[in-house]
Amino acid sequence: METKGKTKFLSVWHNVKYSWALKPKTSFSRNSPVLLLGKCYHFKAEEDEGQTEACREASDEEGVMGNVEDFRRDFGSRIWLTYREEFPPLPGSSLTSDCGWGCMLRAGQMMLAQALLLHFLGRDWTWSGAMSLQPLDTETWTTSAAKRLVASLESSLQASPGPSDPVVSQRQVAGSGEEAGVHTDGGFHRTLVSWFGDSPSAQFGLHRMVRLGLAMGKRAGEWYGPAVVAHILKKAVEEARDPCLAGISSYVSQDCTVYSADVIDSHKASASAAAERPDVTSSSHNSQPASASPDSRAVIILVPVRLGGEKTNPDYFNLAKSFLSLDYCIGIIGGKPKQACYFVGFQDDSLIYMDPHYCQSFVDVSTSDFPLQSFHCPSPKKMPFTKMDPSCTFGFYSRSAQDFERIKHELTELLQPSAKEKYPAFIFVQGHGRDYDLSASLSPEKREWPFIRDPRRSGSTVGDFVLL
């Protein structure tokens, strides 16, 4: 009983300490387009005439959506992965929660989840329960609120948990997902979410990420940067054992350089490793992507960059906007100082992001009917571009080698530096990385200097991205 009470106390305290401030609602302008991972939405009333120039430029023939509900449905369908507690101990430690240190790993998981949604379900897919998501709480987490909740918890330790218990409340909210019709998405949505469960057997779960991080000198409880997480994601995709994942691979750029021949090699696969796709039930809003060639794989392209010194260079803001306007962009993992988040869109001069800083209870994804609602975010958050930390990782999804040629051409055009920028954020070059004899004696991870720290060195480098 004492352990249970301590867990409840920590849940309250973690949500106070690690920055989940439940503001009333995120404000959006009705006069500017909203871009969400390549889709453009406008919140003007239907009788308003015309669209803004930016929205027209960002859209293809049917790329512009005209109401708030479509945006809510789209945003609520993205996979949301947050701090959890009460899961099995992590490799090499006795930790059973990632509160306070695992936010960048969670952001990386969310970006990988978006790539898998694109790969298996297509960009137009939405979850049937997205519109029934409930607010996480009705009260902002403040010190006084925390004290009241802790007092309530302490007084109820010998009794059944009360309705004010944040952990129990979250479970109750999550359970309501079954009433939201979560069984109508054909089942694969649930399978995909289960790959990110907090158990040692999950393909892309926190336990797997921590285990892979150990080889890079990172241990559970330490802070991870966006470049380190990019390499962890690559290793996780390479080691995935589920047959459904045979048709996808990952590539991480070297020193802000994407070597085209290396990406093309990542696309190649033997016939035995042909892409296997699950049987997904089609619906009116499910878009099934075209199957890749049976002898090729899709590639998740991850590009760690640093967009300035102490602060992000404002000249790169438009570049980030351009990337988030592309339907093959899977987002940006980065954050603001001491807080990691997953950037998925923007409006005007503010980024739209999904926040991992909310401590939820462990969900056993091995059951056939585990609740899905706690894996979807009920509301977006916004942050000015000026607060964006310069260290981040861009993510893109390439379905085939032919697709990559188009992506390379489009990104190269966008990466052309302006007179102010002087240098592109990253570049594409022909050939393989080894052709340029770049630090040939070093491991792939060490070639990423200055983004990845040598674990044998004390202190930090300019590229370290220390986050809570």
Side-chain angles (χ1 to χ4, degrees):
M1 183 66 70
E2 181 180 348
T3 301
K4 188 175 181 180
K6 181 180 179 181
T7 298
K8 294 175 183 177
F9 176 87
L10 287 175
S11 178
V12 175
W13 174 241
H14 286 155
N15 283 316
V16 176
K17 185 176 180 181
Y18 300 120
S19 306
W20 184 272
L22 297 174
K23 299 177 181 178
K25 282 188 179 180
T26 300
S27 298
F28 285 91
S29 169
R30 286 187 174 273
N31 299 316
S32 302
V34 177
L35 274 296
L36 178 66
L37 294 172
K39 284 191 175 291
C40 181
Y41 296 90
H42 209 288
F43 298 159
K44 280 189 176 182
E46 292 182 0
E47 62 270 17
D48 289 350
E49 295 182 359
Q51 299 166 352
T52 65
E53 187 67 23
C55 203
R56 284 198 298 271
E57 290 178 357
S59 68
D60 291 320
E61 294 180 359
E62 298 181 354
V64 179
M65 308 297 176
N67 60 58
V68 177
E69 286 71 25
D70 287 338
F71 171 78
R72 286 182 55 206
R73 184 180 293 107
D74 191 359
F75 181 85
S77 298
R78 303 311 104 203
I79 305 300
W80 184 43
L81 299 161
T82 73
Y83 289 155
R84 297 274 177 174
E85 60 186 0
E86 303 177 77
F87 49 64
L90 293 165
S93 78
S94 59
L95 293 174
T96 58
S97 173
D98 62 320
C99 284
W101 59 270
C103 53
M104 185 58 79
L105 287 172
R106 297 299 188 179
Q109 285 180 313
M110 286 189 270
M111 186 161 70
L112 177 56
Q114 176 59 23
L116 297 178
L117 285 176
L118 275 181
H119 183 68
F120 292 110
L121 300 175
R123 182 61 188 89
D124 292 335
W125 175 84
T126 56
W127 176 46
S128 62
M131 297 301 286
S132 354
L133 290 171
Q134 300 297 317
L136 294 171
D137 207 325
T138 58
E139 184 176 36
T140 299
W141 287 108
T142 63
T143 303
S144 59
K147 288 180 179 178
R148 291 196 300 273
L149 285 166
V150 170
S152 174
L153 291 172
E154 290 175 342
S155 65
S156 63
L157 288 181
Q158 302 302 321
S160 59
S164 62
D165 184 339
V167 178
V168 175
S169 297
Q170 182 61 32
R171 287 172 177 158
Q172 291 169 345
V173 170
S176 67
E178 300 304 327
E179 300 173 2
V182 294
H183 292 298
T184 63
D185 286 321
F188 185 67
H189 168 219
R190 187 181 299 278
T191 298
L192 194 154
V193 171
S194 73
W195 287 339
F196 295 89
D198 295 310
S199 66
S201 61
Q203 302 285 329
F204 306 120
L206 189 69
H207 293 71
R208 184 69 55 87
M209 302 293 175
V210 167
R211 181 179 66 78
L212 295 172
L214 289 173
M216 300 179 191
K218 306 296 290 186
R219 293 182 294 180
E222 294 183 355
W223 298 316
Y224 295 67
V228 173
V229 170
H231 283 278
I232 290 174
L233 294 177
K234 180 180 184 293
K235 294 288 187 183
V237 171
E238 288 175 351
E239 294 187 2
R241 294 291 179 260
D242 193 302
C244 290
L245 296 165
I248 193 165
S249 61
S250 183
Y251 169 84
V252 180
S253 67
Q254 300 178 28
D255 302 316
C256 300
T257 304
V258 177
Y259 294 94
S260 298
D262 289 337
V263 179
I264 296 299
D265 285 350
S266 297
H267 272 295
K268 295 177 181 178
S270 63
S272 61
E276 296 186 27
R277 298 181 60 230
D279 202 6
V280 183
T281 303
S282 178
S283 69
S284 59
H285 54 258
N286 283 354
S287 174
Q288 299 300 326
S291 298
S293 171
D295 60 349
S296 70
R297 297 179 295 182
V299 178
I300 300 169
I301 302 171
L302 304 174
V303 186
V305 297
R306 188 169 180 92
L307 304 177
E310 293 298 318
K311 295 183 179 181
T312 299
N313 186 334
D315 295 329
Y316 290 112
F317 294 165
N318 284 335
L319 180 67
K321 291 181 180 181
S322 297
F323 288 163
L324 292 170
S325 301
L326 302 169
D327 59 4
Y328 52 83
C329 177
I330 55 174
I332 305 169
I333 57 172
K336 50 188 174 180
K338 297 189 178 181
Q339 291 184 352
C341 43
Y342 172 44
F343 299 120
V344 294
F346 68 92
Q347 184 182 46
D348 294 327
D349 295 323
S350 293
L351 286 154
I352 298 170
Y353 67 98
M354 299 176 72
D355 192 350
H357 298 88
Y358 185 67
C359 189
Q360 303 190 85
S361 293
F362 166 74
V363 172
D364 184 1
V365 298
S366 66
T367 61
S368 60
D369 60 347
F370 68 88
L372 288 165
Q373 191 148 358
S374 68
F375 295 96
H376 292 274
C377 188
S379 59
K381 287 191 173 186
K382 292 176 73 176
M383 180 188 87
F385 271 93
T386 53
K387 290 187 178 181
M388 180 182 180
D389 193 281
S391 291
C392 60
T393 290
F394 295 119
F396 307 96
Y397 170 79
S398 176
R399 182 166 293 280
S400 64
Q402 294 75 18
D403 199 25
F404 171 67
E405 292 299 331
R406 175 180 64 87
I407 290 171
K408 178 175 68 172
H409 175 75
E410 291 181 358
L411 293 184
T412 298
E413 290 292 320
L414 293 174
L415 286 163
Q416 292 298 321
S418 66
K420 293 182 179 179
E421 289 171 18
K422 296 183 180 179
Y423 302 103
F426 62 92
I427 60 173
F428 288 84
V429 300
Q430 298 298 322
H432 298 88
R434 62 177 178 269
D435 297 338
Y436 295 82
D437 194 30
L438 296 175
S439 304
S441 62
L442 298 179
S443 67
E445 292 78 22
K446 298 294 179 57
R447 295 191 191 117
E448 296 304 310
W449 184 92
F451 298 107
I452 295 183
R453 180 180 58 181
D454 187 333
R456 294 170 298 182
R457 292 171 55 190
S458 60
S460 60
T461 70
V462 68
D464 286 336
F465 193 20
V466 180
L467 299 174
L468 283 177

